[in-house]
Amino acid sequence: MHGTLDWFIKISKEKLLNEKSLIKKFNELLEKEALSKIDKKELEEKGVKTLKLLYKKVIPNWPKNIQSEMNIKGVKLAENLILNGRLDMIEILSKDGLVIVHDFKTGRIKSRSQIDGSKETSGYNYKRQLTFYKILLDKYKDGMFKTKVGIIDFIEPDEKGNFKKEIFEITENDTKELEQVIKIVAEQIMNLTFWDTKCDDESCQYCRLREMVF
């Protein structure tokens, strides 16, 4: 799905595309995947249905000035700590580099409390991913781009055929907090001290794996 939408955004800047071309590209990309016939058929049916709805309900509302699959490499956060990332889509708001970051999510639609990690049992924190993208943009090419807003776009519909998106304001405090976490984790990895850290979940499979290894 990501590859199909990336292709559509890039090509649509050069020529008009229709629903048929969108589905054709999806099938071409799906054919290259190493899947069983049953899985491929299931994904094809689901993907075609989803793309038809996206073409009808979502794509017409996309802003015109957008860029897909933006690769950012070589962002220096600290000594010997380089960050890389790929943004699904950015919406360019002004000539001075103000953008909105869009992150596409497949799978079941989640609540806002699951998305931002405020629900302890959610196991997700997509807002943190948006914060990471802000860090990349803030430090990329001396602040060539700026963003304060990130959007989680669910590109699979709910039971009624509707699509959901959640908009988040990303603050400087958000980025400072995440930068600190990244630095701490990076140091633990480089020093291998992360092996000494265990979580509070007694049934955690990763902690059990650690005990098996050491």
Side-chain angles (χ1 to χ4, degrees):
M1 292 295 291
H2 284 74
T4 302
L5 294 178
D6 172 43
W7 171 85
F8 188 87
I9 293 170
K10 287 183 170 70
I11 301 299
S12 62
K13 292 181 179 181
E14 303 172 4
K15 59 182 179 181
L16 294 175
L17 296 176
N18 54 30
E19 178 189 294
K20 185 177 179 180
S21 62
L22 184 66
I23 293 172
K24 180 181 177 182
K25 185 63 179 181
F26 170 75
N27 286 327
E28 288 176 357
L29 293 175
L30 184 61
E31 194 63 32
K32 297 177 182 179
E33 297 294 323
L35 300 166
S36 67
K37 289 184 179 180
I38 295 176
D39 289 341
K40 187 171 291 186
K41 183 178 180 181
E42 182 180 337
L43 288 173
E44 180 181 1
E45 291 176 354
K46 182 179 180 181
V48 169
K49 181 180 178 180
T50 297
L51 287 170
K52 285 182 177 180
L53 287 171
L54 276 169
Y55 188 82
K56 179 181 178 181
K57 295 185 175 183
V58 177
I59 291 177
N61 298 319
W62 274 350
K64 292 183 178 180
N65 199 5
I66 56 178
Q67 179 179 333
S68 71
E69 294 292 342
M70 179 180 179
N71 284 311
I72 297 180
K73 296 182 179 181
V75 171
K76 187 174 182 179
L77 184 62
E79 194 67 31
N80 299 323
L81 182 52
I82 303 299
L83 304 180
N84 302 311
R86 175 180 292 182
L87 286 61
D88 288 332
M89 185 172 82
I90 61 169
E91 176 185 344
I92 302 173
L93 301 178
S94 62
K95 293 181 179 180
D96 64 354
L98 185 61
V99 303
I100 293 176
V101 177
H102 291 254
D103 191 47
F104 297 150
K105 295 298 180 187
T106 55
R108 187 176 179 180
I109 292 175
K110 297 169 180 59
S111 67
R112 189 175 181 90
S113 62
Q114 288 177 309
I115 294 170
D116 64 12
S118 59
K119 187 175 182 179
E120 292 183 2
T121 59
S122 69
Y124 305 94
N125 192 335
Y126 293 157
K127 182 185 176 183
R128 175 168 283 187
Q129 191 170 352
L130 295 174
T131 303
F132 178 74
Y133 293 150
K134 175 174 169 57
I135 292 172
L136 289 177
L137 289 171
D138 285 348
K139 299 180 181 300
Y140 180 61
K141 292 187 177 180
D142 298 321
M144 179 179 177
F145 294 100
K146 309 172 189 66
T147 185
K148 295 181 179 179
V149 175
I151 299 177
I152 297 294
D153 289 295
F154 288 94
I155 55 176
E156 288 188 25
D158 61 17
E159 295 80 3
K160 297 181 180 179
N162 297 318
F163 293 87
K164 177 183 179 180
K165 68 179 180 180
E166 290 286 354
I167 303 172
F168 293 93
E169 179 183 357
I170 312 299
T171 67
E172 295 299 326
N173 285 337
D174 291 329
T175 57
K176 288 179 181 178
E177 179 183 344
L178 183 54
E179 283 182 18
Q180 187 63 25
V181 170
I182 293 172
K183 290 175 182 177
I184 292 172
V185 172
E187 183 178 356
Q188 290 176 344
I189 292 174
M190 287 186 284
N191 296 333
L192 297 180
T193 55
F194 69 94
W195 281 108
D196 299 325
T197 303
K198 296 180 65 176
C199 69
D200 297 327
D201 184 1
E202 294 182 358
S203 62
C204 176
Q205 58 180 326
Y206 303 107
C207 291
R208 289 204 305 269
L209 176 61
R210 174 198 172 279
E211 292 175 354
M212 291 172 61
V213 173
F214 288 90

Short mmCIF file of all heavy atoms in Angstrom, two decimals, residues 19-66:
data_model
loop_
_atom_site.label_atom_id
_atom_site.label_comp_id
_atom_site.label_asym_id
_atom_site.label_seq_id
_atom_site.Cartn_x
_atom_site.Cartn_y
_atom_site.Cartn_z
N GLU A 19 -8.39 5.56 -11.08
CA GLU A 19 -8.50 4.43 -10.15
C GLU A 19 -7.90 3.16 -10.74
O GLU A 19 -7.23 2.39 -10.04
CB GLU A 19 -9.97 4.21 -9.80
CG GLU A 19 -10.23 3.04 -8.88
CD GLU A 19 -11.70 2.75 -8.74
OE1 GLU A 19 -12.41 3.61 -8.18
OE2 GLU A 19 -12.14 1.68 -9.20
N LYS A 20 -8.11 2.96 -12.02
CA LYS A 20 -7.62 1.75 -12.69
C LYS A 20 -6.10 1.66 -12.64
O LYS A 20 -5.53 0.61 -12.37
CB LYS A 20 -8.10 1.73 -14.14
CG LYS A 20 -7.74 0.47 -14.89
CD LYS A 20 -8.30 0.50 -16.30
CE LYS A 20 -7.92 -0.77 -17.07
NZ LYS A 20 -8.46 -0.74 -18.46
N SER A 21 -5.42 2.77 -12.88
CA SER A 21 -3.95 2.78 -12.86
C SER A 21 -3.42 2.55 -11.45
O SER A 21 -2.37 1.92 -11.25
CB SER A 21 -3.42 4.10 -13.42
OG SER A 21 -3.83 5.20 -12.63
N LEU A 22 -4.14 3.05 -10.45
CA LEU A 22 -3.76 2.87 -9.05
C LEU A 22 -3.80 1.38 -8.67
O LEU A 22 -2.86 0.85 -8.08
CB LEU A 22 -4.69 3.68 -8.16
CG LEU A 22 -4.39 3.71 -6.65
CD1 LEU A 22 -3.09 4.43 -6.37
CD2 LEU A 22 -5.54 4.39 -5.91
N ILE A 23 -4.88 0.73 -9.05
CA ILE A 23 -5.04 -0.70 -8.75
C ILE A 23 -4.05 -1.54 -9.54
O ILE A 23 -3.49 -2.52 -9.02
CB ILE A 23 -6.49 -1.14 -9.05
CG1 ILE A 23 -7.44 -0.45 -8.06
CG2 ILE A 23 -6.63 -2.65 -8.96
CD1 ILE A 23 -8.89 -0.65 -8.36
N LYS A 24 -3.79 -1.16 -10.77
CA LYS A 24 -2.83 -1.89 -11.60
C LYS A 24 -1.44 -1.87 -10.96
O LYS A 24 -0.75 -2.90 -10.90
CB LYS A 24 -2.76 -1.27 -13.00
CG LYS A 24 -1.77 -1.97 -13.92
CD LYS A 24 -1.73 -1.29 -15.28
CE LYS A 24 -0.68 -1.97 -16.18
NZ LYS A 24 -0.59 -1.30 -17.50
N LYS A 25 -1.03 -0.71 -10.47
CA LYS A 25 0.29 -0.60 -9.82
C LYS A 25 0.33 -1.44 -8.56
O LYS A 25 1.36 -2.10 -8.28
CB LYS A 25 0.58 0.87 -9.50
CG LYS A 25 1.99 1.09 -8.95
CD LYS A 25 3.04 0.70 -9.98
CE LYS A 25 4.44 0.93 -9.49
NZ LYS A 25 5.44 0.57 -10.50
N PHE A 26 -0.74 -1.43 -7.79
CA PHE A 26 -0.79 -2.23 -6.57
C PHE A 26 -0.60 -3.72 -6.89
O PHE A 26 0.18 -4.41 -6.23
CB PHE A 26 -2.13 -2.02 -5.86
CG PHE A 26 -2.37 -2.98 -4.73
CD1 PHE A 26 -1.71 -2.82 -3.52
CD2 PHE A 26 -3.25 -4.04 -4.88
CE1 PHE A 26 -1.93 -3.71 -2.47
CE2 PHE A 26 -3.48 -4.94 -3.84
CZ PHE A 26 -2.80 -4.76 -2.64
N ASN A 27 -1.27 -4.20 -7.91
CA ASN A 27 -1.15 -5.61 -8.30
C ASN A 27 0.25 -5.94 -8.79
O ASN A 27 0.77 -7.03 -8.54
CB ASN A 27 -2.19 -5.95 -9.37
CG ASN A 27 -3.59 -6.06 -8.80
OD1 ASN A 27 -3.78 -6.46 -7.67
ND2 ASN A 27 -4.59 -5.68 -9.59
N GLU A 28 0.89 -4.99 -9.49
CA GLU A 28 2.26 -5.20 -9.95
C GLU A 28 3.22 -5.35 -8.77
O GLU A 28 4.08 -6.22 -8.76
CB GLU A 28 2.70 -4.03 -10.83
CG GLU A 28 2.03 -3.98 -12.20
CD GLU A 28 2.42 -2.74 -12.98
OE1 GLU A 28 3.17 -1.89 -12.43
OE2 GLU A 28 1.98 -2.60 -14.14
N LEU A 29 3.05 -4.49 -7.77
CA LEU A 29 3.92 -4.55 -6.60
C LEU A 29 3.62 -5.79 -5.75
O LEU A 29 4.54 -6.42 -5.22
CB LEU A 29 3.72 -3.29 -5.74
CG LEU A 29 4.20 -1.98 -6.38
CD1 LEU A 29 3.83 -0.79 -5.48
CD2 LEU A 29 5.70 -2.00 -6.62
N LEU A 30 2.36 -6.16 -5.67
CA LEU A 30 1.97 -7.35 -4.90
C LEU A 30 2.54 -8.61 -5.53
O LEU A 30 2.94 -9.55 -4.83
CB LEU A 30 0.45 -7.45 -4.81
CG LEU A 30 -0.12 -8.58 -3.94
CD1 LEU A 30 0.32 -8.42 -2.49
CD2 LEU A 30 -1.65 -8.60 -4.04
N GLU A 31 2.60 -8.64 -6.84
CA GLU A 31 3.11 -9.80 -7.56
C GLU A 31 4.57 -10.09 -7.24
O GLU A 31 5.03 -11.22 -7.32
CB GLU A 31 2.93 -9.59 -9.08
CG GLU A 31 3.10 -10.84 -9.91
CD GLU A 31 2.06 -11.90 -9.62
OE1 GLU A 31 0.91 -11.54 -9.27
OE2 GLU A 31 2.41 -13.09 -9.72
N LYS A 32 5.29 -9.06 -6.85
CA LYS A 32 6.72 -9.21 -6.55
C LYS A 32 6.97 -9.76 -5.14
O LYS A 32 8.09 -10.14 -4.81
CB LYS A 32 7.44 -7.88 -6.71
CG LYS A 32 7.40 -7.32 -8.13
CD LYS A 32 8.08 -5.96 -8.19
CE LYS A 32 8.01 -5.38 -9.60
NZ LYS A 32 8.65 -4.03 -9.67
N GLU A 33 5.92 -9.79 -4.33
CA GLU A 33 6.07 -10.25 -2.96
C GLU A 33 6.09 -11.78 -2.88
O GLU A 33 5.39 -12.45 -3.64
CB GLU A 33 4.93 -9.72 -2.08
CG GLU A 33 4.89 -8.20 -1.96
CD GLU A 33 6.09 -7.65 -1.23
OE1 GLU A 33 6.55 -8.30 -0.26
OE2 GLU A 33 6.58 -6.58 -1.62
N ALA A 34 6.90 -12.31 -1.97
CA ALA A 34 6.98 -13.76 -1.79
C ALA A 34 5.85 -14.22 -0.87
O ALA A 34 6.00 -14.26 0.36
CB ALA A 34 8.33 -14.13 -1.20
N LEU A 35 4.71 -14.52 -1.47
CA LEU A 35 3.52 -14.90 -0.70
C LEU A 35 2.90 -16.16 -1.28
O LEU A 35 3.08 -16.47 -2.46
CB LEU A 35 2.47 -13.76 -0.75
CG LEU A 35 2.88 -12.41 -0.18
CD1 LEU A 35 1.88 -11.35 -0.60
CD2 LEU A 35 2.97 -12.47 1.34
N SER A 36 2.18 -16.86 -0.44
CA SER A 36 1.43 -18.02 -0.94
C SER A 36 0.26 -17.53 -1.79
O SER A 36 -0.14 -16.36 -1.70
CB SER A 36 0.91 -18.85 0.23
OG SER A 36 -0.08 -18.13 0.95
N LYS A 37 -0.30 -18.41 -2.60
CA LYS A 37 -1.42 -18.03 -3.46
C LYS A 37 -2.62 -17.57 -2.63
O LYS A 37 -3.32 -16.62 -3.00
CB LYS A 37 -1.82 -19.21 -4.34
CG LYS A 37 -0.81 -19.53 -5.44
CD LYS A 37 -1.32 -20.65 -6.33
CE LYS A 37 -0.32 -20.96 -7.44
NZ LYS A 37 -0.80 -22.05 -8.33
N ILE A 38 -2.84 -18.23 -1.51
CA ILE A 38 -3.97 -17.88 -0.65
C ILE A 38 -3.78 -16.49 -0.05
O ILE A 38 -4.69 -15.65 -0.08
CB ILE A 38 -4.16 -18.93 0.46
CG1 ILE A 38 -4.53 -20.28 -0.13
CG2 ILE A 38 -5.22 -18.46 1.46
CD1 ILE A 38 -4.65 -21.39 0.89
N ASP A 39 -2.57 -16.23 0.49
CA ASP A 39 -2.29 -14.92 1.09
C ASP A 39 -2.34 -13.82 0.04
O ASP A 39 -2.85 -12.72 0.30
CB ASP A 39 -0.91 -14.94 1.76
CG ASP A 39 -0.90 -15.77 3.04
OD1 ASP A 39 -1.99 -16.03 3.58
OD2 ASP A 39 0.19 -16.17 3.47
N LYS A 40 -1.80 -14.11 -1.13
CA LYS A 40 -1.77 -13.11 -2.20
C LYS A 40 -3.19 -12.75 -2.65
O LYS A 40 -3.52 -11.58 -2.85
CB LYS A 40 -0.95 -13.63 -3.38
CG LYS A 40 -0.71 -12.59 -4.47
CD LYS A 40 0.29 -13.08 -5.50
CE LYS A 40 1.68 -13.18 -4.89
NZ LYS A 40 2.70 -13.52 -5.91
N LYS A 41 -4.04 -13.76 -2.77
CA LYS A 41 -5.42 -13.51 -3.18
C LYS A 41 -6.15 -12.69 -2.13
O LYS A 41 -6.91 -11.76 -2.46
CB LYS A 41 -6.14 -14.84 -3.41
CG LYS A 41 -7.57 -14.67 -3.91
CD LYS A 41 -8.23 -16.01 -4.16
CE LYS A 41 -9.67 -15.82 -4.64
NZ LYS A 41 -10.35 -17.12 -4.89
N GLU A 42 -5.93 -13.04 -0.86
CA GLU A 42 -6.58 -12.31 0.23
C GLU A 42 -6.13 -10.85 0.27
O GLU A 42 -6.95 -9.94 0.42
CB GLU A 42 -6.25 -12.99 1.56
CG GLU A 42 -6.91 -12.34 2.76
CD GLU A 42 -6.56 -13.03 4.07
OE1 GLU A 42 -6.20 -14.22 4.04
OE2 GLU A 42 -6.64 -12.36 5.13
N LEU A 43 -4.82 -10.62 0.13
CA LEU A 43 -4.30 -9.26 0.14
C LEU A 43 -4.75 -8.47 -1.09
O LEU A 43 -4.99 -7.26 -1.01
CB LEU A 43 -2.78 -9.29 0.21
CG LEU A 43 -2.18 -9.70 1.56
CD1 LEU A 43 -0.67 -9.86 1.46
CD2 LEU A 43 -2.53 -8.67 2.64
N GLU A 44 -4.85 -9.16 -2.22
CA GLU A 44 -5.31 -8.49 -3.44
C GLU A 44 -6.74 -8.00 -3.30
O GLU A 44 -7.06 -6.85 -3.63
CB GLU A 44 -5.20 -9.44 -4.63
CG GLU A 44 -5.65 -8.80 -5.95
CD GLU A 44 -5.57 -9.77 -7.11
OE1 GLU A 44 -5.20 -10.94 -6.91
OE2 GLU A 44 -5.90 -9.35 -8.24
N GLU A 45 -7.61 -8.85 -2.78
CA GLU A 45 -9.01 -8.48 -2.60
C GLU A 45 -9.15 -7.32 -1.62
O GLU A 45 -9.89 -6.36 -1.86
CB GLU A 45 -9.82 -9.68 -2.11
CG GLU A 45 -9.96 -10.78 -3.16
CD GLU A 45 -10.67 -12.01 -2.62
OE1 GLU A 45 -10.94 -12.05 -1.39
OE2 GLU A 45 -10.95 -12.94 -3.40
N LYS A 46 -8.42 -7.42 -0.51
CA LYS A 46 -8.47 -6.38 0.50
C LYS A 46 -7.88 -5.07 -0.02
O LYS A 46 -8.43 -3.99 0.20
CB LYS A 46 -7.70 -6.84 1.74
CG LYS A 46 -7.72 -5.85 2.90
CD LYS A 46 -6.95 -6.41 4.09
CE LYS A 46 -6.95 -5.44 5.25
NZ LYS A 46 -6.19 -5.97 6.42
N GLY A 47 -6.74 -5.18 -0.73
CA GLY A 47 -6.06 -3.99 -1.23
C GLY A 47 -6.87 -3.26 -2.29
O GLY A 47 -6.96 -2.03 -2.27
N VAL A 48 -7.46 -4.01 -3.20
CA VAL A 48 -8.26 -3.39 -4.26
C VAL A 48 -9.47 -2.66 -3.67
O VAL A 48 -9.78 -1.53 -4.06
CB VAL A 48 -8.72 -4.45 -5.29
CG1 VAL A 48 -9.76 -3.88 -6.23
CG2 VAL A 48 -7.52 -4.97 -6.08
N LYS A 49 -10.13 -3.31 -2.73
CA LYS A 49 -11.28 -2.68 -2.07
C LYS A 49 -10.88 -1.40 -1.37
O LYS A 49 -11.57 -0.37 -1.47
CB LYS A 49 -11.89 -3.67 -1.08
CG LYS A 49 -13.11 -3.13 -0.35
CD LYS A 49 -13.66 -4.17 0.62
CE LYS A 49 -14.86 -3.62 1.39
NZ LYS A 49 -15.41 -4.62 2.36
N THR A 50 -9.75 -1.45 -0.65
CA THR A 50 -9.27 -0.28 0.08
C THR A 50 -8.88 0.85 -0.86
O THR A 50 -9.22 2.02 -0.63
CB THR A 50 -8.05 -0.66 0.95
OG1 THR A 50 -8.46 -1.62 1.93
CG2 THR A 50 -7.48 0.56 1.65
N LEU A 51 -8.17 0.52 -1.95
CA LEU A 51 -7.72 1.55 -2.89
C LEU A 51 -8.89 2.23 -3.59
O LEU A 51 -8.84 3.44 -3.86
CB LEU A 51 -6.77 0.93 -3.92
CG LEU A 51 -5.38 0.58 -3.39
CD1 LEU A 51 -4.61 -0.24 -4.41
CD2 LEU A 51 -4.60 1.84 -3.04
N LYS A 52 -9.93 1.48 -3.87
CA LYS A 52 -11.11 2.08 -4.49
C LYS A 52 -11.73 3.12 -3.56
O LYS A 52 -12.14 4.20 -4.00
CB LYS A 52 -12.13 1.00 -4.83
CG LYS A 52 -11.77 0.15 -6.04
CD LYS A 52 -12.85 -0.87 -6.35
CE LYS A 52 -12.51 -1.67 -7.60
NZ LYS A 52 -13.56 -2.68 -7.92
N LEU A 53 -11.79 2.79 -2.27
CA LEU A 53 -12.34 3.73 -1.30
C LEU A 53 -11.40 4.93 -1.11
O LEU A 53 -11.86 6.07 -0.97
CB LEU A 53 -12.58 3.02 0.03
CG LEU A 53 -13.76 2.06 0.09
CD1 LEU A 53 -13.75 1.27 1.38
CD2 LEU A 53 -15.08 2.82 -0.05
N LEU A 54 -10.09 4.66 -1.06
CA LEU A 54 -9.12 5.75 -0.93
C LEU A 54 -9.24 6.72 -2.11
O LEU A 54 -9.20 7.94 -1.93
CB LEU A 54 -7.70 5.18 -0.88
CG LEU A 54 -7.18 4.71 0.48
CD1 LEU A 54 -5.87 3.94 0.30
CD2 LEU A 54 -6.95 5.88 1.42
N TYR A 55 -9.36 6.17 -3.30
CA TYR A 55 -9.45 7.01 -4.50
C TYR A 55 -10.72 7.86 -4.48
O TYR A 55 -10.72 9.01 -4.94
CB TYR A 55 -9.43 6.13 -5.74
CG TYR A 55 -9.33 6.92 -7.03
CD1 TYR A 55 -8.09 7.38 -7.49
CD2 TYR A 55 -10.47 7.22 -7.76
CE1 TYR A 55 -8.01 8.13 -8.66
CE2 TYR A 55 -10.39 7.97 -8.93
CZ TYR A 55 -9.15 8.42 -9.37
OH TYR A 55 -9.06 9.16 -10.53
N LYS A 56 -11.76 7.31 -3.89
CA LYS A 56 -13.04 8.00 -3.86
C LYS A 56 -13.14 9.01 -2.73
O LYS A 56 -13.63 10.14 -2.92
CB LYS A 56 -14.17 6.98 -3.74
CG LYS A 56 -15.56 7.58 -3.67
CD LYS A 56 -16.61 6.50 -3.52
CE LYS A 56 -18.02 7.09 -3.41
NZ LYS A 56 -19.06 6.03 -3.25
N LYS A 57 -12.62 8.63 -1.54
CA LYS A 57 -12.88 9.43 -0.35
C LYS A 57 -11.70 10.24 0.18
O LYS A 57 -11.89 11.27 0.83
CB LYS A 57 -13.38 8.53 0.79
CG LYS A 57 -14.71 7.87 0.52
CD LYS A 57 -15.18 7.08 1.74
CE LYS A 57 -16.58 6.51 1.55
NZ LYS A 57 -17.07 5.81 2.76
N VAL A 58 -10.47 9.77 -0.07
CA VAL A 58 -9.30 10.40 0.55
C VAL A 58 -8.44 11.16 -0.45
O VAL A 58 -8.12 12.34 -0.22
CB VAL A 58 -8.43 9.33 1.27
CG1 VAL A 58 -7.17 9.96 1.85
CG2 VAL A 58 -9.24 8.66 2.38
N ILE A 59 -8.04 10.52 -1.51
CA ILE A 59 -7.11 11.13 -2.46
C ILE A 59 -7.61 12.46 -3.02
O ILE A 59 -6.82 13.40 -3.16
CB ILE A 59 -6.78 10.13 -3.59
CG1 ILE A 59 -5.92 8.99 -3.02
CG2 ILE A 59 -6.06 10.80 -4.75
CD1 ILE A 59 -5.59 7.89 -4.01
N PRO A 60 -8.91 12.60 -3.32
CA PRO A 60 -9.38 13.90 -3.83
C PRO A 60 -9.18 15.05 -2.83
O PRO A 60 -9.15 16.22 -3.23
CB PRO A 60 -10.88 13.65 -4.07
CG PRO A 60 -10.98 12.19 -4.30
CD PRO A 60 -9.98 11.59 -3.36
N ASN A 61 -9.04 14.73 -1.55
CA ASN A 61 -8.88 15.77 -0.52
C ASN A 61 -7.42 16.02 -0.15
O ASN A 61 -7.14 16.85 0.72
CB ASN A 61 -9.66 15.36 0.74
CG ASN A 61 -11.15 15.24 0.49
OD1 ASN A 61 -11.73 16.06 -0.21
ND2 ASN A 61 -11.77 14.21 1.04
N TRP A 62 -6.51 15.31 -0.79
CA TRP A 62 -5.10 15.58 -0.54
C TRP A 62 -4.72 16.97 -1.02
O TRP A 62 -5.19 17.41 -2.08
CB TRP A 62 -4.23 14.56 -1.27
CG TRP A 62 -4.02 13.29 -0.50
CD1 TRP A 62 -4.33 13.03 0.80
CD2 TRP A 62 -3.42 12.08 -1.01
NE1 TRP A 62 -3.98 11.75 1.14
CE2 TRP A 62 -3.41 11.15 0.06
CE3 TRP A 62 -2.88 11.72 -2.24
CZ2 TRP A 62 -2.89 9.86 -0.09
CZ3 TRP A 62 -2.37 10.44 -2.38
CH2 TRP A 62 -2.38 9.52 -1.32
N PRO A 63 -3.90 17.69 -0.28
CA PRO A 63 -3.42 18.99 -0.77
C PRO A 63 -2.57 18.80 -2.02
O PRO A 63 -2.00 17.73 -2.24
CB PRO A 63 -2.60 19.52 0.40
CG PRO A 63 -2.22 18.32 1.19
CD PRO A 63 -3.33 17.34 1.04
N LYS A 64 -2.46 19.83 -2.82
CA LYS A 64 -1.72 19.71 -4.07
C LYS A 64 -0.21 19.69 -3.88
O LYS A 64 0.50 18.98 -4.59
CB LYS A 64 -2.10 20.87 -5.01
CG LYS A 64 -3.55 20.81 -5.51
CD LYS A 64 -3.85 21.93 -6.48
CE LYS A 64 -5.28 21.83 -7.01
NZ LYS A 64 -5.59 22.91 -7.96
N ASN A 65 0.26 20.46 -2.93
CA ASN A 65 1.71 20.59 -2.75
C ASN A 65 2.21 19.57 -1.74
O ASN A 65 2.42 19.87 -0.57
CB ASN A 65 2.07 22.00 -2.31
CG ASN A 65 3.53 22.31 -2.56
OD1 ASN A 65 4.27 21.51 -3.15
ND2 ASN A 65 3.96 23.48 -2.13
N ILE A 66 2.40 18.34 -2.21
CA ILE A 66 2.84 17.26 -1.33
C ILE A 66 4.05 16.55 -1.93
O ILE A 66 4.31 16.61 -3.13
CB ILE A 66 1.72 16.22 -1.07
CG1 ILE A 66 1.20 15.66 -2.40
CG2 ILE A 66 0.62 16.82 -0.24
CD1 ILE A 66 0.12 14.60 -2.22
#
